[in-house]
Structures are given as structure tokens and as C-alpha cells.
Amino acid sequence: MVCCKVTKRTSFICSVLFWISGACSTGMKSYELMKTAEILDTTTNKYKFTLLLLLGIVLGFLQCYFVFVKICHKNIDRILSLPTEPRWHECYRWQLYIFLAFVIAIGATTTKLYPNDFWVIGVNGCLDTMVCISLTFSLIVFYNRRDELLHYNDSDDQDNLLSSGAAKV
């Protein structure tokens, strides 16, 4: 199928846009879930809500540093090693799309089944906060390695491109 073949530069841009859309959607979902969890928290001073929010923030930064930064580098390296004209959806492996559908379905189902359960709503909000922070702050990898693909001339000489000395986070 010729219609969905793109340059590596376009594949890189698609991966960044996909990453940004994930950060925005999990951020909006996190906000709504945490707002609901705050209402459902009946404890004095809302300490359970505050604990879950702080846990999501701290785990988000840890996940960013130890997991998402490595995933970004690996994905950019994979884009660089793709054929000359990859398909637009090849900016990520197909397993990621299945994983995302599974995670989104579980989150949506549990929050619909237990809309008034503080722990279900709060834990889902905590997880979304964690993922939002991880996605948002790991975007720095795409920014730091942008020159590798934005100045890519579509030649097959991958070794020159990978050894160009672009900074990695």
C-alpha cells in the first residue's frame, strides 16, 4: 500500500505527536479522576487524596527517568533503522497499539463499574497522573535528538547518521 508511506522525518514527527497526544489525554483524564477522588475522599484534610496525588507525581518522575527516557531513545533508534519509506504507523511497534487499547479499556471499565469508589477512582487517577508526567517530561528526548531526523536527507547511510554525535539524555 503506497498511500501510507512517509519519510523518516514524518515518522519521527508522527511519533512526537502521538507522544504529546498521550500526555494531553492522560493529563485531562487524570485531572477529572483526581477531582472526583477529592470529592469522594471523606477523611479529614483529604489526606488519602493528597497521598495518591503525590504518589502519582513522584512515581511519574521516576518512571520518566528510568523507563520512558530509555523507550524514547530506543524508539528513535528504531525509526532511524526503518526502511527508506516506512508507513506512518510504524513510528511505534504494533504491540504498543494493542497495549494502549487494553489499558484504556481496563481504566474505562473499572471507573464505570465503580464510579463512587474512592480507591478505584483515586488509583486510576494516580496512574494517569504518573503516565502524564512521564510522557510530558520524557519529551525532552525527542527535542534533544530532533536534529538527527529533521536534518536527515533520506540516504541509506545509517552509520553516519547514528554516529553524528547527537546528544542523548
Side-chain angles (χ1 to χ4, degrees):
M1 180 179 274
V2 176
C3 67
C4 63
K5 290 191 177 208
V6 296
T7 64
K8 289 185 184 186
R9 179 182 302 169
T10 304
S11 184
F12 178 77
I13 291 169
C14 285
S15 70
V16 171
L17 292 175
F18 191 79
W19 208 259
I20 291 170
S21 68
C24 291
S25 65
T26 56
M28 292 184 298
K29 187 175 160 200
S30 167
Y31 174 75
E32 291 299 322
L33 288 172
M34 293 309 277
K35 192 168 70 171
T36 303
E38 183 180 21
I39 293 168
L40 293 173
D41 189 358
T42 57
T43 61
T44 308
N45 297 330
K46 309 260 184 212
Y47 75 90
K48 290 190 291 188
F49 163 76
T50 305
L51 179 66
L52 282 176
L53 183 61
L54 291 174
L55 185 65
I57 292 169
V58 169
L59 290 177
F61 281 110
L62 290 172
Q63 182 181 29
C64 173
Y65 182 76
F66 290 109
V67 179
F68 280 42
V69 166
K70 289 178 177 73
I71 289 172
C72 285
H73 282 300
K74 186 176 178 181
N75 188 53
I76 292 169
D77 292 340
R78 198 177 69 69
I79 290 172
L80 291 172
S81 67
L82 285 173
T84 306
E85 291 185 331
R87 290 178 175 79
W88 70 267
H89 56 81
E90 290 180 329
C91 60
Y92 291 102
R93 293 185 177 176
W94 64 269
Q95 293 96 332
L96 173 74
Y97 298 108
I98 292 172
F99 173 75
L100 286 177
F102 184 70
V103 168
I104 291 168
I106 287 175
T109 302
T110 57
T111 55
K112 294 287 184 213
L113 289 175
Y114 305 101
N116 296 319
D117 186 325
F118 168 78
W119 288 109
V120 172
I121 301 296
V123 167
N124 276 294
C126 177
L127 292 173
D128 282 334
T129 300
M130 181 177 77
V131 172
C132 175
I133 287 172
S134 297
L135 288 170
T136 301
F137 286 94
S138 61
L139 277 168
I140 192 71
V141 174
F142 289 107
Y143 178 77
N144 286 343
R145 294 189 65 186
R146 71 193 179 282
D147 290 340
E148 290 181 61
L149 280 162
L150 295 179
H151 296 8
Y152 181 66
N153 62 6
D154 289 329
S155 69
D156 289 331
D157 191 7
Q158 297 298 325
D159 293 331
N160 285 342
L161 182 62
L162 289 173
S163 65
S164 65
K168 289 188 178 183
V169 171

